[in-house]
Amino acid sequence: HISITFSDPLIWRRVQVPGTFTLAQLHDTIQLSMGWSDSHVHQFLVGKISYEPTIRTNLPRESKRFDEHKYKLFTLEDGMRFMFTYLYDAGEGWEHEIHLEEIVPPTRQLLHPILLAGEMACPPEMVGDIHEYHQLLATLESPDNKNQNSLYELTGHPDFDPNYFDLEAAKKRVSKVR
């Protein structure tokens, strides 16, 4: 269960992913399930350890961060139960709480993630964070608002509805992650 922290009403997605997926593949799954374009930096916090994409270099690594491409989900289960956070556009950004709801014994091999459910539209990723998004929505709902085009400019959709989530379209996007 992936939810945007402090969203109200809660913006969330429920996905089933293979335990053999890496954190990098989970990142792709989150991006596609939310409807974002992966245009910002990100990182995972699992337990007390930070995982992120790393650039290959011959220089010694000074960071305590780990390469998300090298860690499979099934190896991180204990840390996931303690704390599992996904930060997108860190610095400003979107914080996601991830709850490991269930470990399903494999009855057949799961080759790609499956989006099971979700609610609420994905906020435009050009908005700084959930608090800014809430302020934007409140401003747009104000009767004296003179800037009705702000949400259209940010989303590219003239009929953007923050309450609408197209589950079927998101399922198709997510099913392409390998």
Side-chain angles (χ1 to χ4, degrees):
H1 188 270
I2 303 158
S3 59
I4 297 180
T5 308
F6 305 118
S7 59
D8 183 23
L10 193 64
I11 301 167
W12 63 272
R13 308 293 184 259
R14 179 171 284 118
V15 296
Q16 183 177 8
V17 295
T20 56
F21 258 32
T22 64
L23 286 168
Q25 289 168 301
L26 180 59
H27 159 72
D28 293 340
T29 302
I30 294 169
Q31 286 289 305
L32 293 171
S33 71
M34 286 294 172
W36 281 330
S37 65
D38 193 12
S39 58
H40 300 287
V41 297
H42 71 276
Q43 74 182 77
F44 288 95
L45 298 172
V46 182
K48 293 183 177 184
I49 300 173
S50 176
Y51 300 84
E52 60 189 38
T54 59
I55 300 169
R56 295 178 199 266
T57 177
N58 292 330
L59 299 174
R61 230 171 73 209
E62 296 178 24
S63 173
K64 297 287 185 210
R65 295 178 177 142
F66 295 87
D67 186 350
E68 69 180 22
H69 291 88
K70 294 181 180 178
Y71 291 89
K72 295 186 184 278
L73 297 177
F74 76 89
T75 66
L76 302 170
E77 288 173 14
D78 289 340
M80 287 180 200
R81 294 179 199 282
F82 172 65
M83 181 176 82
F84 197 7
T85 303
Y86 171 74
L87 302 170
Y88 181 55
D89 193 15
E92 228 177 331
W94 299 93
E95 181 178 336
H96 301 70
E97 233 177 85
I98 304 174
H99 290 281
L100 178 62
E101 293 182 321
E102 183 180 7
I103 297 173
V104 180
T107 54
R108 61 184 166 84
Q109 187 177 9
L110 188 62
L111 301 175
H112 60 81
I114 299 170
L115 178 60
L116 302 170
E119 287 187 3
M120 307 305 287
C122 175
E125 62 190 303
M126 300 318 288
V127 175
D129 61 20
I130 192 63
H131 306 294
E132 190 177 317
Y133 179 61
H134 285 272
Q135 287 175 346
L136 175 66
L137 293 179
T139 300
L140 294 173
E141 291 172 4
S142 169
D144 60 342
N145 177 33
K146 293 179 174 64
N147 194 6
Q148 290 291 331
N149 292 326
S150 292
L151 205 51
Y152 171 69
E153 291 167 4
L154 290 169
T155 64
H157 301 286
D159 56 349
F160 178 79
D161 179 356
N163 299 307
Y164 178 70
F165 172 59
D166 188 342
L167 179 62
E168 292 309 311
K171 280 182 176 183
K172 287 178 187 173
R173 289 190 310 264
V174 167
S175 70
K176 296 176 183 174
V177 178
R178 301 279 187 239

